[in-house]
Amino acid sequence: MLDILAAIIRGVSYLAVLGGAGIVIAAVTLPGDARSPARAIAMLVRGAGGLAMLCAALTAWLFVARLGGIADPAARDAVAWSPVGAALALQFLGGAMLAALSAPGAMRVGAIVQLLSFAVVGHSATLGPVSALTVLVHVTAAAWWLGGLVLLRMAGTGLPHERHVLLVAGFSRQAIWVVAALLLAATLTAAMLLDRTVDLGRTYDRGLALKAALSSSLLALAGINRFALLPRLAAGSRPARWLARTIVAELLIIAAILATTAWLTGFQSPHKTDHAASAPPPIEGPVAIIDAWAPASVSGLGTGAGYLTIVNNQDADDRLIGASSPWADALTLHQSRQNGGIVRMQKIASLRLPAHQRTILAPGGHHLMFTGLYSPLVAGDSVPVTLTFARAGTISIMLKVGKIGDPTPHRH
């Protein structure tokens, strides 16, 4: 249930952030008539800002609740001091500026702060500054388009016909460049995310194909508005009515694109699925890792667990003192403890590994905790993990992700 709730909140936050910030940005570039009716537009922007604040707060609460509860300092720190926390803080701060401030300059700063939240977390952050920049351009262009359509729809009900025609013409001229930037940024981002390969056998790639189809229909409607309706708009009220309908249709398609995005980022993995069976690793060397696995997650919360067996072949005790993965903001050691009938996860600094013994990390005991996963763990994924030991140094392994509900590890 928390997974579905998190995905819904994610989709609503996309709509609130892009809608509120988009209206502010579009109002700057479009003719002054776009800001009419001013009071209704201001109320809409403030409402979007407040909704973005609420979504950010709820998302942070869900993260902390999933990790161990608000009373657990480790759970609070895992959210507060991570890229996820930074993104939520930017979303909340920007929303507060839109909701509470009326000065145009302050609202513009709030809109920029909100859009920056997309560039500090997820694959955009891990793939480097180029990816972060393309994501920022993409969401800014999408926000302008969404906000501009809202302004056109609202202004069209109260403006004199001649001024409405000029407003639509101004929007159409700017939209050509905005749409070009949006498509270029989207193409570059998708190419980096998929490593320039597309496999429609994967659910994630089919989701991207659905987004591409929805975007194509959106472009088709925009083309109809630009080349069929706009030249006839000055002739009478009938083209204006058709324009109003196509704008509503475009807004609905954008909502469908955002819903698809929330589903992809909350429930699907962009990583290549590896169905090939791996050969059993030799139990040799100072430390050997066997039975490394992770349960599949269907979660918009960005958390996951990893389990494995550590064989210490050394003549002295060792300690597991750290772990990391390029798939998540943080990978930490946790221990499940039962307190008053409630099982809570407690972060631990290290795990003792007795000499010539096996130490098992399994459900209900010690485990690895992924925080801020950039995409859910999907069955078939092979998750890269680096383990750090006090004596043995670092070891790179792969966690094999099993099917949802499968209680047994994928043993060799």
Side-chain angles (χ1 to χ4, degrees):
M1 185 62 184
L2 286 180
D3 301 329
I4 298 175
L5 178 61
I8 293 174
I9 293 174
R10 187 189 297 263
V12 173
S13 70
Y14 288 161
L15 189 61
V17 171
L18 295 184
I23 291 174
V24 173
I25 294 173
V28 174
T29 64
L30 293 175
D33 287 332
R35 293 182 282 278
S36 177
R39 184 174 181 180
I41 292 173
M43 291 181 61
L44 185 59
V45 171
R46 289 177 177 175
L51 186 57
M53 292 173 62
L54 177 62
C55 290
L58 288 175
T59 301
W61 177 80
L62 286 172
F63 260 114
V64 175
R66 181 68 177 267
L67 290 173
I70 193 68
D72 185 358
R76 296 197 304 268
D77 290 345
V79 176
W81 307 110
S82 69
V84 171
L88 293 176
L90 289 173
Q91 181 179 323
F92 188 91
L93 176 61
M97 298 180 73
L98 294 185
L101 301 177
S102 57
M107 297 184 75
R108 292 165 192 168
V109 172
I112 294 172
V113 168
Q114 282 194 315
L115 294 175
L116 284 174
S117 67
F118 291 94
V120 300
V121 72
H123 289 285
S124 62
T126 57
L127 293 178
V130 174
S131 175
L133 179 61
T134 60
V135 168
L136 184 59
V137 171
H138 178 68
V139 296
T140 302
W144 183 93
W145 197 348
L146 174 58
L149 289 174
V150 172
L151 291 176
L152 282 185
R153 187 70 179 86
M154 296 181 70
T157 60
L159 281 180
H161 184 68
E162 296 79 8
R163 291 166 63 183
H164 184 229
V165 172
L166 293 176
L167 175 59
V168 174
F171 174 84
S172 297
R173 286 192 300 270
Q174 295 180 28
I176 294 174
W177 301 102
V178 172
V179 170
L182 187 149
L183 292 177
L184 178 60
T187 302
L188 291 175
T189 302
M192 286 184 284
L193 188 60
L194 299 177
D195 196 22
R196 297 178 295 279
T197 60
V198 178
D199 180 9
L200 293 181
R202 295 194 303 159
T203 304
Y204 189 89
D205 294 38
R206 292 198 296 270
L208 289 182
L210 174 60
K211 286 184 62 176
L214 290 170
S215 300
S216 298
S217 64
L218 189 62
L219 291 173
L221 282 176
I224 291 173
N225 291 342
R226 175 68 177 84
F227 299 107
L229 294 180
L230 180 58
R232 297 175 173 83
L233 196 58
S237 59
R238 186 174 181 182
R241 290 196 298 269
W242 277 105
L243 178 64
R245 292 168 186 167
T246 57
I247 288 176
V248 172
E250 286 186 60
L251 291 172
L252 291 175
I253 293 173
I254 291 175
I257 292 174
L258 295 180
T260 304
T261 303
W263 170 70
L264 280 176
T265 56
F267 296 101
Q268 300 301 322
S269 168
H271 305 289
K272 292 182 177 63
T273 301
D274 182 12
H275 295 288
S278 56
I283 307 178
E284 58 185 28
V287 171
I289 308 298
I290 59 175
D291 297 341
W293 67 287
S297 60
V298 184
S299 172
L301 301 179
T303 58
Y307 308 106
L308 48 92
T309 296
I310 304 172
V311 183
N312 183 9
N313 295 316
Q314 302 173 99
D315 294 329
D317 292 353
D318 205 339
R319 287 181 299 120
L320 176 61
I321 58 175
S324 63
S325 173
W327 284 25
D329 291 339
L331 182 58
T332 52
L333 286 167
H334 278 70
Q335 181 179 14
S336 297
R337 293 182 180 274
Q338 189 167 357
N339 184 9
I342 300 176
V343 177
R344 294 189 179 277
M345 290 177 287
Q346 179 182 3
K347 183 179 177 181
I348 58 176
S350 63
L351 178 62
R352 178 176 174 268
L353 308 172
H356 297 292
Q357 291 190 29
R358 297 188 178 201
T359 302
I360 300 175
L361 281 68
H366 294 99
H367 59 277
L368 301 174
M369 172 61 69
F370 293 90
T371 305
L373 278 166
Y374 303 135
S375 59
L377 303 179
V378 174
D381 281 348
S382 295
V383 187
V385 168
T386 298
L387 303 175
T388 303
F389 300 88
R391 290 175 56 89
T394 60
I395 296 178
S396 297
I397 64 169
M398 302 294 285
L399 298 182
K400 188 71 174 180
V401 181
K403 294 181 179 179
I404 299 171
D406 186 356
T408 60
H410 290 249
R411 297 184 180 276
H412 298 295

